[in-house]
Amino acid sequence: MHLSVSLSIILMLLPAAAPKTGVKTPGVQIPFANLKSEAQIAVVGLSGVPVMTMMAFAPQKGTGALLRIDAKTNKPGEAIGGLDQPCGQMVSAFRSLWVPGCGKKGLQRVDARAGKVSATVQTGLAGEGVIVAASEDSLWVLADARTNLMRIDPEGNRVVSELRLPAGCSAVLSAESAVWIACPQQGKVLRLDPKTEVITNRIETAAGPVALASGAGSIWVLCRNEGKISRIDPKTNKVTATVELGVPNAEGSLEFGEGSVWASVPGFPVMRINPETDKVVQQFTGEGGGLLRFGLGSLWLADVKGGQLLRFDPKRVVATLAE
């Protein structure tokens, strides 16, 4: 009897090669295919991470709509139409959804209950890089193509001030009674006092800070160049720890939820960091990655390339161990 096996079958039977990058501690790297999602929701024209209220809303740039997703059934419902190419990073605040537009260069205010755009703030900014954050009484809008941080009054739906920033700042976060701005070209995170609109601190981090998150009494900063996360103590305005991801030169996102820091970069769709040890404890390897959002008790991964939204139970993630 002759036995003939093709090379492709042999390769399929061989164990998958370990990624050349990432954390090498045994048991940390896990194939992403081993992680079971609670839902996989197809979203036509998906152009960013979702925003959560009582349900999830996913931007659809190609259709000019926000897709409503029922948090209980994970089923898409009636979309909110009439938007101008929703894209960038949205936020839920002041009883509204605030959605950047990629067409007419405005920030759109959406009444989710009425299912319509209630106002448009002309910011002169457009594109995938527009970032929106909300403080107690204001919205803060940043686009990486500009060096201005805009403050918007939600009562009057208008820009009330602009702050000149260093070139190329790419992330903004409101937390710990301050507005935090990541500026990768300077290798620093700026701390802004929202009452005075004065930058009070310029905190040096690992090289290339590109994303921000808040949790466990700290500000967490994803730093691109060397693949690290810098942890800032907002009381001292100093970096107190550095988390090694082992993934240099990769853009990504950062979130905090259920007592963990969550990061995502291409090739490592989900990474979990324990804030008690400042160590990566899980690093899922595989295709995809880059856009995360935590909300409604779940971790959401926006696969823009694949046009789908993945929902994960954080407890299931924690329980998924290396083989």
Side-chain angles (χ1 to χ4, degrees), residues 55-84:
M55 62 178 62
F57 295 86
Q60 297 179 281
K61 180 180 176 182
T63 64
L66 290 179
L67 182 64
R68 306 184 207 226
I69 300 169
D70 189 307
K72 294 182 179 180
T73 65
N74 295 316
K75 299 295 185 182
E78 183 181 358
I80 299 176
L83 281 82
D84 175 43

Side-chain angles (χ1 to χ4, degrees), residues 46-290:
L46 180 64
S47 59
V49 291
V51 66
M52 285 80 179
T53 55
M54 297 300 290
M55 62 178 62
F57 295 86
Q60 297 179 281
K61 180 180 176 182
T63 64
L66 290 179
L67 182 64
R68 306 184 207 226
I69 300 169
D70 189 307
K72 294 182 179 180
T73 65
N74 295 316
K75 299 295 185 182
E78 183 181 358
I80 299 176
L83 281 82
D84 175 43
Q85 299 185 45
C87 65
Q89 180 173 308
M90 308 182 297
V91 70
S92 174
F94 310 109
R95 304 177 301 280
S96 301
L97 305 177
W98 300 84
V99 187
C102 273
K104 296 181 181 178
K105 302 184 179 180
L107 179 65
Q108 300 160 102
R109 182 172 191 167
V110 178
D111 184 330
R113 290 190 176 184
K116 64 180 182 180
V117 176
S118 59
T120 299
V121 183
Q122 297 302 324
T123 61
L125 302 177
E128 304 290 346
V130 177
I131 308 297
V132 185
S135 60
E136 290 184 0
D137 61 357
S138 302
L139 290 156
W140 304 84
V141 181
L142 175 71
D144 57 8
R146 293 279 296 273
T147 57
N148 285 352
L149 177 67
M150 295 185 177
R151 183 174 195 164
I152 293 173
D153 171 20
E155 295 297 324
N157 295 316
R158 62 190 182 91
V159 177
V160 292
S161 63
E162 295 187 42
L163 179 68
R164 187 78 171 179
L165 297 176
C169 296
S170 60
V172 60
L173 170 74
S174 175
E176 300 289 342
S177 301
V179 176
W180 306 82
I181 306 144
C183 300
Q185 294 182 24
Q186 287 72 37
K188 295 180 179 179
V189 169
L190 311 182
R191 178 174 184 159
L192 173 73
D193 184 336
K195 295 181 179 179
T196 63
E197 297 187 3
V198 172
I199 294 175
T200 58
N201 299 91
R202 292 172 170 81
I203 305 163
E204 187 170 350
T205 64
V210 292
L212 302 165
S214 172
S218 301
I219 303 300
W220 303 84
V221 189
L222 176 62
C223 301
R224 173 186 58 208
N225 294 24
E226 298 175 357
K228 298 179 179 180
I229 293 177
S230 293
R231 181 176 188 172
I232 297 174
D233 183 344
K235 295 180 180 179
T236 63
N237 296 306
K238 294 182 179 180
V239 173
T240 58
T242 299
V243 181
E244 300 283 350
L245 302 179
V247 190
N249 302 313
E251 299 285 350
S253 61
L254 207 56
E255 283 286 298
F256 190 95
E258 291 292 317
S260 295
V261 182
W262 306 86
S264 180
V265 301
F268 295 86
V270 176
M271 293 184 277
R272 186 171 69 89
I273 295 95
N274 184 344
E276 294 184 2
T277 62
D278 295 320
K279 300 288 186 182
V280 176
V281 290
Q282 289 177 300
Q283 197 169 49
F284 292 89
T285 65
E287 294 295 324

Side-chain angles (χ1 to χ4, degrees), residues 18-41:
K20 295 181 179 179
T21 58
V23 175
K24 300 305 181 183
T25 304
V28 170
Q29 289 196 1
I30 308 169
F32 185 51
N34 292 3
L35 181 58
K36 179 177 174 57
S37 63
E38 306 307 307
Q40 297 183 14
I41 305 161

Side-chain angles (χ1 to χ4, degrees), residues 52-53 255-257 293-300 311-312:
M52 285 80 179
T53 55
E255 283 286 298
F256 190 95
R293 179 62 61 89
F294 200 95
L296 298 171
S298 300
L299 182 69
W300 302 75
R311 182 177 187 176
F312 298 99

